[in-house]
Amino acid sequence: VKLFPISARLALDGSLEKSGEMVRKSLLPIFTDELHRFLMEEKGTVLLVTASNNLLRQLSQARLELALELKSLTTPLEALNQKLRAFEEKKHETELEKQDFDILLDGETRRLGKDILDADITRYRKELLSHEQAHLEEQFNQMKTLPSRELRDALEQMIMEHVRQAFNTWRALEDERLATAFEKICGRYASKINDTVDALLKFSSDLFEIPFEAVKTELLWSDKTRFSYKFRDEPVGLQIVASSLTIALPKFIGDKLILKKMNEYLIRVVDMQLGRLGSDFEQRLDKSKLDFRWDMLQKIEAAIEGISAAIEKGMQQRSKGEQEVEARQRILAETAKTLDEIRERLTRIKNSCS
């Protein structure tokens, strides 16, 4: 890993003072030049290599399914049925792994909500109330010469604006924190799913004595499965009911009651917003989990269905007679040739990028 020592303060001072020498001494230009080069050059290379690997993985699986159909056209029926029974056992084992995956993913997502979200909400509530209660008292002391109604209205408006701004900042930070934690979970389970699929494909290739090499890829999934849904942009929405008694009391007594009521109002506003955002986070986590689960489990289903369908096609073709079998073999051989050509082209692209 290449490290870049920099002085952000020196770079800032150099920029403000328009001193190229200070900026140069900060070493920031070395980093920004390297970053620019990566974004303009290497990022495209990384994208091409990643896309090539993912396509090569799909081709490898398609090539295996094609070879399985070819084998099923020529393997004696008794041996073929024996292999099918073995495959059914492996298929059942894979289905059990899929169920385990589902349970573990659900548990990890729940723990994410409990261990991170609940703890963050509790901590932020304490910090925010401590800060805003001190600010409320400070503003009260500055504005207490105002008439009681004006004082109450000004403090109410101040609370709403401060809480809204505070939550706009916090929810963005919390969103990023939860998104990062959720994607780490997704990364681990995507690896497990890929390993499960590879094990199933390898078992099938060994069973039918067909060469097969699993292609390892970067763990990518659809953007829709990521933790990226937007918050509802709702106003704070709490109002204080005017108290004629408070207004009618002598000002020094009424103002103390106003401060007390405003403090209660502040707590209600913060708690309501935390409740809304906490519920929104939980719903989005659950939605993201379900989308990710669907995409990942589809990989296993696709592998099982692809292998089963390939063998069944071969068995059905055999019942149509020898000429039909030979015709199908020619078609499969041509398809295999096409797949191999595509694989060679992708490999050349990948190697040229590397």
Side-chain angles (χ1 to χ4, degrees):
V1 176
K2 186 175 182 180
L3 302 179
F4 294 87
I6 63 170
S7 168
R9 181 179 297 278
L10 193 58
L12 177 61
D13 291 343
S15 177
L16 293 174
E17 296 177 20
K18 295 183 171 50
S19 170
E21 181 64 17
M22 291 175 67
V23 172
R24 186 185 64 77
K25 286 182 178 180
S26 75
L27 303 180
L28 182 63
I30 296 175
F31 168 70
T32 54
D33 289 347
E34 181 70 12
L35 177 62
H36 184 266
R37 187 190 65 77
F38 171 78
L39 293 174
M40 296 301 292
E41 300 173 13
E42 291 188 25
K43 186 179 179 182
T45 299
V46 171
L47 179 61
L48 285 172
V49 171
T50 301
S52 297
N53 280 335
N54 278 278
L55 286 169
L56 285 169
R57 182 180 177 86
Q58 297 298 320
L59 281 171
S60 179
Q61 186 170 332
R63 188 67 173 79
L64 174 62
E65 291 171 7
L66 188 147
L68 285 170
E69 186 178 346
L70 272 170
K71 273 282 186 176
S72 65
L73 288 171
T74 56
T75 303
L77 284 176
E78 184 178 346
L80 185 59
N81 285 323
Q82 190 175 8
K83 292 179 187 297
L84 280 172
R85 285 191 293 271
F87 174 72
E88 285 298 319
E89 290 179 10
K90 181 64 176 178
K91 175 181 169 182
H92 178 66
E93 179 186 317
T94 303
E95 291 286 353
L96 292 178
E97 287 184 33
K98 189 173 72 171
Q99 292 175 20
D100 292 342
F101 159 82
D102 202 12
I103 294 169
L104 291 171
L105 176 64
D106 186 62
E108 285 231 32
T109 307
R110 288 180 184 276
R111 278 194 295 274
L112 173 60
K114 183 176 180 58
D115 294 347
I116 293 183
L117 180 59
D118 289 355
D120 286 355
I121 285 176
T122 300
R123 182 173 57 254
Y124 185 64
R125 181 184 187 275
K126 182 179 179 181
E127 292 173 357
L128 181 62
L129 283 177
S130 175
H131 180 271
E132 290 302 323
Q133 284 170 337
H135 185 259
L136 172 63
E137 190 164 350
E138 178 186 332
Q139 292 298 303
F140 171 80
N141 289 328
Q142 291 181 12
M143 295 188 290
K144 61 185 179 182
T145 56
L146 294 173
S148 295
R149 186 184 297 276
E150 290 183 26
L151 175 62
R152 185 200 63 204
D153 291 345
L155 291 176
E156 178 186 345
Q157 187 64 33
M158 181 272 296
I159 288 172
M160 290 180 67
E161 289 302 319
H162 267 238
V163 170
R164 182 180 290 112
Q165 290 174 14
F167 274 104
N168 282 342
T169 300
W170 179 78
R171 71 185 189 183
L173 295 172
E174 189 68 9
D175 187 77
E176 182 64 27
R177 177 167 158 78
L178 288 175
T180 300
F182 176 71
E183 291 196 10
K184 284 182 179 178
I185 292 174
C186 290
R188 289 199 303 274
Y189 281 99
S191 291
K192 291 180 181 180
I193 288 293
N194 279 346
D195 290 343
T196 298
V197 170
D198 287 345
L200 179 64
L201 297 175
K202 187 68 171 63
F203 174 85
S204 302
S205 69
D206 291 343
L207 184 65
F208 284 86
E209 300 175 347
I210 298 168
F212 172 74
E213 183 179 353
V215 178
K216 297 298 180 183
T217 63
E218 294 292 324
L219 301 175
L220 299 177
W221 51 89
S222 169
D223 284 342
K224 71 178 181 180
T225 66
R226 291 175 181 255
F227 190 63
S228 58
Y229 303 93
K230 301 298 183 185
F231 277 98
R232 298 185 300 271
D233 187 16
E234 296 181 3
V236 174
L238 282 179
Q239 300 293 333
I240 294 179
V241 178
S243 170
S244 57
L245 176 61
T246 302
I247 303 297
L249 287 170
K251 182 168 173 54
F252 74 95
I253 298 176
D255 286 355
K256 287 182 179 179
L257 283 176
I258 287 175
L259 180 59
K260 180 176 180 293
K261 291 294 182 182
M262 284 298 165
N263 189 60
E264 294 171 356
Y265 175 61
L266 170 63
I267 294 172
R268 290 204 309 274
V269 169
V270 168
D271 286 344
M272 187 182 75
Q273 288 300 90
L274 283 172
R276 282 179 174 176
L277 296 186
S279 176
D280 199 1
F281 273 127
E282 288 174 359
Q283 291 175 19
R284 293 162 61 220
L285 269 174
D286 191 56
K287 176 68 166 62
S288 299
K289 178 200 71 176
L290 292 175
D291 284 342
F292 174 74
R293 172 186 173 276
W294 172 259
D295 282 356
M296 292 298 102
L297 295 186
Q298 281 294 101
K299 286 189 172 186
I300 297 178
E301 290 297 329
I304 291 173
E305 291 174 9
I307 293 169
S308 299
I311 298 171
E312 287 173 10
K313 283 180 185 178
M315 295 182 72
Q316 290 172 3
Q317 207 69 34
R318 292 173 68 148
S319 64
K320 296 179 181 179
E322 189 174 334
Q323 287 186 341
E324 290 291 333
V325 169
E326 291 177 355
R328 183 60 181 165
Q329 284 177 321
R330 287 193 295 271
I331 292 173
L332 291 174
E334 284 297 317
T335 306
K337 182 181 177 182
T338 301
L339 291 178
D340 290 342
E341 289 172 353
I342 295 172
R343 183 174 57 189
E344 288 177 10
R345 290 169 60 193
L346 278 170
T347 303
R348 286 198 299 270
I349 292 172
K350 176 184 170 183
N351 291 340
S352 66
C353 291
S354 301

